[in-house]
Amino acid sequence: MKIGMQLDYSGGFKASAARVAEYERAGLDIAWVAEAYGFDGVSFMGYLAHATERVQIASGILPIYTRTPTLLAMTAAGVDAMSDGRCILGLGASGPQVIEGWHGVPYDAPLGRTREIIDICRLVWKREERVTYEGRYYRLPLPEGQGTGLGKPLKIIAHPVRPAIPIYVASLGPKNVAMTAEVADGWLPIFYIPEKAGEVWGDDLEAGFAKRSPELGPLEIAAGGMVAITDEPEPILDMGRGLAALYIGGMGARDRNFYNQLACRYGYEAEAKEIQDLYLDGKKAEAAAKVPREFLELSNLVGPEGWVRERLEAYREAGVTSLNIVPIDPNPTALIEKLKTWTT
């Protein structure tokens, strides 16, 4: 099992890159770079390519609506070249608040667009012929009657380091997870509870696997949460309440919140409704207090050493191939070293 980490920018990008270089020496395998509506993620991925030697540099995630499919392909190929083949292209739909509010483009057809983007990226990287594509959402070149009519098929000028760069998709809903299992190299779920993952996503994954090309190999799964070895887990678990309440209660409209729907599928219907009602009423602290302790306990790895090792095995048995961690420890480097010995 690999060890991955979503990067923390609280000390600035350069300080974060220095920490990644230290964690790399301790055994960190994947550094996930987020992009929301702050600095772009790709600039930092390029900086990390220079600051590190071995760790894989992954976008976690690039929203699919913010770039054309060919630009996503060019971007991943560029990071892959700068890092000597260490790029992972993590894609996701983000949400309508960011896509329509910040980027000013319609939030439509996330599944269909993701599927077509993956197709086009792979065509670009193979560099076998000039790229043409007849999709429902993307057509290359633009068809007659659109634009100037002067577009022509092109092939990427540069030679990608690899003809196939791993593509991970952040997905939660049944159809999106099935699509991920069918066409992606990896899956990025959030709030992953190993014991309930099969019940919640098992049928969706199997539906996708039934259509999956053998050439793709097994689906990688990157999931995890806070990690802390402690005899007093309560204060650390409480640290996760605010984030859980934000997602379950406030990330999306009342009738269109994917994280709230996930909590319901886990069996927390009543709690999810109460958290959302309180959060949308501006009572954020009260909403956080309603996040079930069991939810926090099972979606993180916080407790005595024996408990953390048991949780790690639960993730492994559920098919997780990369443990994504938020280390809560005075010495995160030492914690990563310990986890690496347990996962090797």
Side-chain angles (χ1 to χ4, degrees), residues 14-27:
K14 293 183 179 180
S16 181
R19 287 195 298 272
V20 171
E22 179 182 342
Y23 297 157
E24 177 184 56
R25 292 189 289 272

Side-chain angles (χ1 to χ4, degrees), residues 172-287:
L172 293 177
K175 293 181 179 180
N176 206 356
V177 170
M179 182 272 296
T180 300
E182 180 186 349
V183 302
D185 298 287
W187 177 35
L188 288 166
I190 191 172
F191 298 131
Y192 189 88
I193 297 179
E195 292 83 354
K196 299 186 178 184
E199 177 184 343
V200 171
W201 288 302
D203 291 344
D204 309 324
L205 290 169
E206 288 304 318
F209 291 151
K211 302 176 183 178
R212 186 177 181 86
S213 169
E215 295 178 0
L216 289 175
L219 181 72
E220 302 287 326
I221 302 176
M226 294 186 296
V227 179
I229 299 173
T230 176
D231 292 327
E232 297 181 1
E234 208 69 35
I236 296 174
L237 290 175
D238 283 343
M239 292 169 57
R241 290 185 176 277
L243 181 65
L246 166 64
Y247 277 80
I248 296 170
M251 198 69 76
R254 188 178 298 276
D255 60 347
R256 195 176 185 185
N257 181 321
F258 309 123
Y259 310 98
N260 189 279
Q261 293 166 11
L262 174 61
C264 291
R265 295 177 75 190
Y266 274 144
Y268 303 109
E269 294 93 342
E271 295 91 338
K273 183 180 185 305
E274 191 171 12
I275 291 167
Q276 187 177 62
D277 288 343
L278 288 167
Y279 202 96
L280 295 180
D281 285 343
K283 300 176 182 178
K284 297 180 181 180
E286 291 92 332

